DNA sequence: CATCGTTGTTCCAACGATGTAAAGACCCGG
DNA sequence: CCGGGTCTTTACATCGTTGGAACAACGATG
């Protein structure tokens, strides 16, 4: 692989002159510039980013710390973050935490100014003490812990409220919620939205209809749904805190021959691509994932360029109504 | 951020001694070692990977070039590759090509010895000429083009054959295939497996039952299925070249009130997590994705360490039989 | 006690790039 | 033809790390 030195030797100039040409410095004699450019072409020179960044004190990378790529929401988001990062000549390094505190801590520990310029975090279990970050960061989603770090995400309370209002507007009275979680910030907010929607319709908040989920995978949704169907009076609708839970819930309902939406209406959250193709297709809260990715990356870029920006960006969402609440 | 120099000054030893401690060199006096370790602890030293790799002539990164993270198969695979790469202290850089030739070329161009030590490629459109790679690489899956690059993947012909045999064993006679593609290597191989399974059962190969798909998304599967259902004699079973196509196909069947599996049996390929939870759940060819990821990373590691290894690794697969072919 | 081999440590150069400062080339007017 | 300013190029140091050579300390050996 050719280095500046090789190019310089070939062109008969100093290393620095080549560097100047490469970096578009103005004052290079046309004659030299031409020779250098020819030499660059001939050697197929490509700058060594590691060396350049060592010198410049940048790394050219940002970290994206998320629970798991096999969760569609995060996979889709990761794809969008990668695309958005390209605009700022950033490469994205993905770290998986598997939603555990240990995983998140180790991911954070592996970060460092030498490895990445900044980080986008989607934590689930982190505690306040953990947020001593060595690089500028943005949190995705809202969280229980209150730390001075920028955040990007939708208004979870309003979104959950919209979802449950939709169910109420269809005449449902006994609406369950799947996905309560002791430490997850978004879970608390979505539960609050659920609570408010019930309250404004003067519906009772029934403890047995709120089912926790330790993870947010399909299997957890199925298990939760089974427990709901085992109740003396099962619900006639269920609001799931993400689409995977909802998919699992619909699956469990189907196994008990409970029809969706006739016997049970289901709403999810995240609007995964998969949810438009399930049978029945899933009504879901649809955050604008592209906007989230873009906002997070842009915020970090401004932060790195300009210094301390502390900002919370609220991105839009909508409710995608599909067959799981309204039969076709 | 603390450097070796800082630690050395604090511990009262030379930079190299600190480096020796950090790198587990044996011959360091216990007393010095203790002092250095204390200093490391006190300063919170973390090596600058950029500098280390510059010195070692490594980058510490491998590239994973794939079509799109929003495709579950690749998302799951990416997660496994990241996990496997950690064993060799590699970070993974994901590049999305969106399945286009231009995208793949630009991803390849952005690779370079200075950026990554090696690459894992999952190309769809590349041509022979493009495979002038600047770094060691492994191809995932089999491809039409014949280039001297290591490959890791399952035996697509055998896998497709097993899938179609399964359909035949259930008594299906008019079996369609969705996913034929002019340039995609795996498509050709899966079609060949389909062909062989038909032949060995003395079933005719019917042109109109083989439907191409330009992309392998759910929408393409749905469109293909609709065209099949429009035939004078629609098929009684369909083999889809991936799970997304199958999910789309099942969706389209449902919209036409065609029951799966009673009226139409469906088999997919990839065994996405989503396929176990669809209604009906999807019978699918299940490649061992973890084995693929592990084999690809290990192969690259050996290649980088030991020099030229050209090897084709065949990973195992199985057939996951679910409700889309056998009613519960 | 000189010599030796083993340990332990330090110094120096190097990886490939860029910022700085200073030197060299050039052109102008006086 | 000189002085002074503007271009243009170069040498050198530097980023943080590690490999290698050189050196120092040590107990063991003859």
């Amino acid at each position: 692989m050719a280095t500046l030195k090789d190019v310089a030797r070939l062109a008969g100039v100093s290393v620095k002159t080549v560097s100047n040409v490469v970096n578009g410095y103005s004052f290079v004699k046309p004659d030299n510039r031409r020779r250098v450019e020819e030499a660059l072409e001939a050697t197929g020179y490509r700058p060594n980013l590691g060396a350049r960044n060592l010198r410049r004190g940048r790394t050219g990378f940002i970290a994206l710390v998320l629970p798991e790529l096999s969760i569609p929401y995060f996979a889709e988001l990761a794809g969008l973050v990668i695309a958005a990062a390209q605009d700022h000549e950033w490469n994205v390094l993905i770290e998986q935490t598997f939603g555990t505190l240990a995983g998140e801590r180790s991911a954070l520990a592996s970060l460092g100014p030498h490895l990445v310029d900044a980080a986008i975090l989607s934590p689930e279990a982190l505690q306040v003490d953990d947020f001593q970050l060595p690089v500028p960061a943005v949190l995705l989603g809202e969280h229980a812990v209150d730390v001075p770090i920028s955040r990007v995400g939708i208004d979870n309370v309003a979104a959950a409220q919209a979802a449950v209002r939709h169910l109420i507007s269809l005449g449902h009275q006994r609406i369950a919620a799947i996905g309560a979680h002791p430490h997850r910030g978004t879970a608390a907010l979505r539960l609050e939205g659920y609570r408010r929607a019930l309250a404004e319709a003067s519906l009772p908040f029934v403890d047995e209809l709120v089912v926790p989920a330790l993870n947010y995978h399909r299997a957890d949704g199925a298990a939760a749904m089974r427990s709901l169907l085992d109740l003396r009076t099962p619900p006639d609708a269920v609001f799931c805190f993400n689409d995977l839970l909802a998919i699992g819930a619909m699956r469990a309902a189907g196994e008990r021959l409970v029809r969706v939406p006739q016997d049970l209406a289901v709403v999810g959250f995240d609007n995964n691509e998969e949810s438009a193709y399930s049978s029945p297709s899933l009504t879901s809260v649809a955050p604008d994932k592209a906007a989230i990715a873009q906002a997070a990356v842009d915020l970090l870029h401004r932060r790195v360029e300009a210094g301390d920006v502390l900002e919370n960006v609220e991105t839009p969402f909508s409710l995608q109504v599909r067959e799981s609440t309204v039969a076709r």
Side-chain angles (χ1 to χ4, degrees), chain A:
Chain A
M1 194 61 183
T3 70
L4 280 187
K5 206 156 92 180
D6 302 325
V7 179
R9 187 165 32 220
L10 186 59
V13 297
S14 79
V15 170
K16 190 63 212 288
T17 298
V18 180
S19 170
N20 285 339
V21 171
V22 170
N23 292 296
Y25 184 66
S26 308
F27 303 125
V28 178
K29 270 208 198 140
D31 188 45
N32 276 344
R33 180 179 295 271
R34 190 184 46 73
R35 289 226 307 290
V36 169
E37 277 166 353
E38 281 170 16
L40 284 171
E41 180 66 26
T43 54
Y45 170 81
R46 319 256 356 226
N48 180 321
L49 298 186
R52 170 180 286 176
N53 290 326
L54 171 60
R55 186 60 245 237
R56 287 190 179 160
R58 288 278 171 79
T59 71
F61 294 97
I62 59 174
L64 174 59
V65 179
L66 42 75
E68 211 173 329
L69 270 182
S70 66
I71 297 175
Y73 175 76
F74 291 110
E76 294 176 26
L77 193 67
L80 294 165
V81 167
I82 291 175
Q86 272 177 349
D87 300 343
H88 300 299
E89 300 193 306
W90 261 333
N91 276 109
V92 179
L93 240 117
I94 296 175
E95 304 255 5
Q96 300 182 101
T97 66
F98 300 99
T100 64
L101 183 55
E104 295 187 346
R105 287 209 171 124
S106 101
L108 251 53
S110 84
L111 259 55
H114 49 273
L115 189 55
V116 295
D117 297 330
I120 299 176
L121 310 176
S122 192
E124 298 195 330
L126 284 181
Q127 271 128 53
V128 183
D129 299 348
D130 294 313
F131 288 94
Q132 306 295 334
L133 300 175
V135 292
V138 172
L139 297 182
L140 296 187
E142 295 166 278
H143 296 273
V145 292
D146 188 36
V147 288
I149 300 183
S150 299
R151 296 159 191 232
V152 172
I154 66 173
D155 180 339
N156 273 277
V157 175
Q161 197 169 355
V164 178
R165 267 187 194 148
H166 169 65
L167 289 171
I168 294 173
S169 77
L170 294 170
H172 297 285
Q173 304 260 334
R174 195 167 162 78
I175 302 171
I178 294 180
H181 193 284
H183 302 304
R184 218 168 281 195
T186 48
L189 296 166
R190 290 175 194 179
L191 189 60
E192 176 59 22
Y194 164 81
R195 193 190 302 267
R196 285 194 198 168
L198 292 185
E200 74 186 1
S202 304
L203 289 173
F205 180 92
V206 182
D207 277 336
E208 67 177 8
L209 290 181
V210 175
V211 188
L214 274 186
N215 286 297
Y216 275 24
H217 291 217
R218 299 177 186 86
D220 304 297
M225 192 70 235
R226 281 184 210 110
S227 79
L228 281 171
L229 293 176
D230 286 338
L231 290 178
R232 196 194 310 246
T233 316
D236 58 2
V238 57
F239 168 47
C240 301
F241 289 4
N242 82 352
D243 275 8
L244 292 186
L245 291 171
I247 294 283
M250 292 205 299
R251 172 81 206 167
E255 285 170 1
R256 298 280 182 96
L257 304 180
V258 170
R259 293 166 306 165
V260 176
Q262 296 89 336
D263 306 332
L264 179 78
V266 180
V267 176
F269 203 112
D270 283 351
N271 194 36
N272 297 340
E273 284 183 27
E274 140 183 21
S275 304
Y277 282 85
S278 62
S279 297
S281 57
L282 179 65
T283 294
S284 184
V285 173
D288 186 340
K289 297 177 197 115
I292 293 175
Q294 193 69 51
V297 172
D298 288 349
L299 195 57
L300 282 183
H301 191 252
R302 263 180 291 139
R303 174 75 190 286
V304 168
E305 291 294 307
D308 44 281
V309 182
L310 177 57
E311 202 177 328
N312 290 343
V313 178
E314 193 178 301
T315 54
F317 69 88
S318 62
L319 184 69
Q320 280 289 330
V321 177
R322 300 204 183 88
E323 297 161 5
S324 67
T325 53
V326 180
R328 55 180 138 125

